[in-house]
Each structure stands twice: as structure tokens, then as C-alpha cells.
Amino acid sequence: MPDRPLILAFDTSAAHCAAALLSGDTILQSAVEEMSKGQAERLLGLCEELLQASGKSFQDLDAIGVGVGPGNFTGIRISVSAARGLALGLGVPSVGVSNFDALAFGQDGPCACAVDARRGQVFVQGIANPSLAEPALHDADALPPFDGPLIGVGGQPPVLPVAEAIAHITAQRYTAATDRPAPLYLRPADAAPARDAPPAILP
């Protein structure tokens, strides 16, 4: 295991394209570009820009971290497919990190993490909160009681931006990673299919 592993992490589970490059415990580069579509075309270019700005290349990476949701159905598939493809091509581990873990990163004590699910609903999971131990869909104005702050939509901001948190979590997990990242879906995709079909996720 390198003394200062180089981790590339990214997320397209919401209306953004976010990426971060971590060396050891230091974020070298980080970027978030707001966009509701076009993540598939932008993601790898953004990652390459971060690497070049640090004098690095994809071949220097020790692991890939990716946000697996919950969130936008197509966006999750884009980033998970990219992470699995990069990891396979580079021969490095890939680690899937949920948005709940990214939101909770750096928090001390119990909390609940909320991700926008639209239509007045949120995806919620509690940390050290038995009533919210499993991630689930809730009405935003009718959450079960929980201890500690609410992090994310409707609550306080997380300690770190999503891609930076994913990078730090990946650094903690990648040496023990065995399973390839897989999307975390908490409800079916909308009935209306996207005009451009998302990439397929192989088992």
C-alpha cells in the first residue's frame, strides 16, 4: 500500500459533475460543475483536467471512488459505469460510496442524512439512529424522530463536498474492496425513459 495513495473520486448522482483528486490525506484538486444533463460527455474530461493540473495521469492512480446514489437514475449509471471501466482498464480497485456515507463523513455522533428525491420526498438514512438504520424514502415534512442533526437537503451542509468525501472514504476502504461498485436505487426509475439510453451495468 503506498504511503500516499492517489485516489480519483467522482459523482454524477445529482444535477452536477463532481470530481476530486486525493493524495494521502490532501485534496490536490476538486471541482463541481452544475449540469442537469451532459455528465456522460463531461465526466472523464473533468477528471483528466484535475489530474493534469496536479501533474498526474490516470496511470498514477491507486484507486477509483464513485458515488453510487441514491439520486438521479441515469446519472448514477453513468458514474458507476465509468468507475468500473476505469478500474478494469487501470488494474486498480474501485469503491462505491453512498451519498449517505459522503454526507456523514466527518460528523461526530448520531445524525441523519437526507438526499433530495424530488416530489416533496427525501431519501434518508440515520447514523447511530436505529429508527433510520436502513435507507428509505420519506416525505420531507414527515421524517421519523432521530438523534443529532439532519445533514443534507433540508438540514445543515456536510463537512466536505461530495466528491472530496468520497475520495477520503475510498482511501479508507480501497485495500479491502472486493465488490465492484453497484448503483444504490431506492425506487424505480421514472416511467418515461431517457432519450439517450444510459450505459448498461454488467453483473
Side-chain angles (χ1 to χ4, degrees):
M1 177 178 174
D3 290 337
R4 296 183 62 81
L6 188 66
I7 310 292
L8 175 66
F10 46 80
D11 178 78
T12 57
S13 65
H16 63 225
C17 194
L21 186 64
L22 176 75
S23 175
D25 57 3
T26 302
I27 294 292
L28 301 181
Q29 301 287 333
S30 180
V32 180
E33 296 182 0
E34 301 299 327
M35 57 179 68
S36 58
K37 58 183 179 180
Q39 290 100 326
E41 294 78 14
R42 179 59 181 140
L43 178 58
L44 291 183
L46 178 61
C47 292
E48 187 169 14
E49 290 169 13
L50 298 190
L51 286 162
Q52 289 179 346
S54 297
K56 306 292 185 180
S57 71
F58 284 107
Q59 287 68 33
D60 295 319
L61 295 172
D62 293 297
I64 306 289
V66 61
V68 297
N72 178 273
F73 185 86
T74 302
I76 294 169
R77 293 176 73 88
I78 287 168
S79 54
V80 169
S81 295
R84 287 169 60 158
L86 277 174
L88 180 63
L90 297 171
V92 300
S94 55
V95 177
V97 178
S98 76
N99 279 344
F100 303 121
D101 285 348
L103 287 169
F105 181 79
Q107 297 292 330
D108 293 323
C111 66
C113 301
V115 177
D116 187 11
R118 302 183 179 181
R119 308 170 189 165
Q121 296 182 307
V122 289
F123 301 115
V124 179
Q125 184 174 22
I127 307 299
N129 272 286
S131 64
L132 292 171
E134 295 299 321
L137 186 65
H138 295 273
D139 290 335
D141 58 357
L143 297 182
F146 57 88
D147 295 328
L150 179 67
I151 312 297
V153 64
Q156 67 185 50
V159 171
L160 291 178
V162 61
E164 294 185 20
I166 291 170
H168 282 285
I169 294 169
T170 298
Q172 297 171 352
R173 298 178 180 175
Y174 83 95
T175 57
T178 55
D179 296 329
R180 292 184 295 177
L184 175 60
Y185 299 137
L186 295 182
R187 71 179 177 198
D190 293 337
R195 185 168 299 177
D196 297 321
I201 300 289
L202 299 176

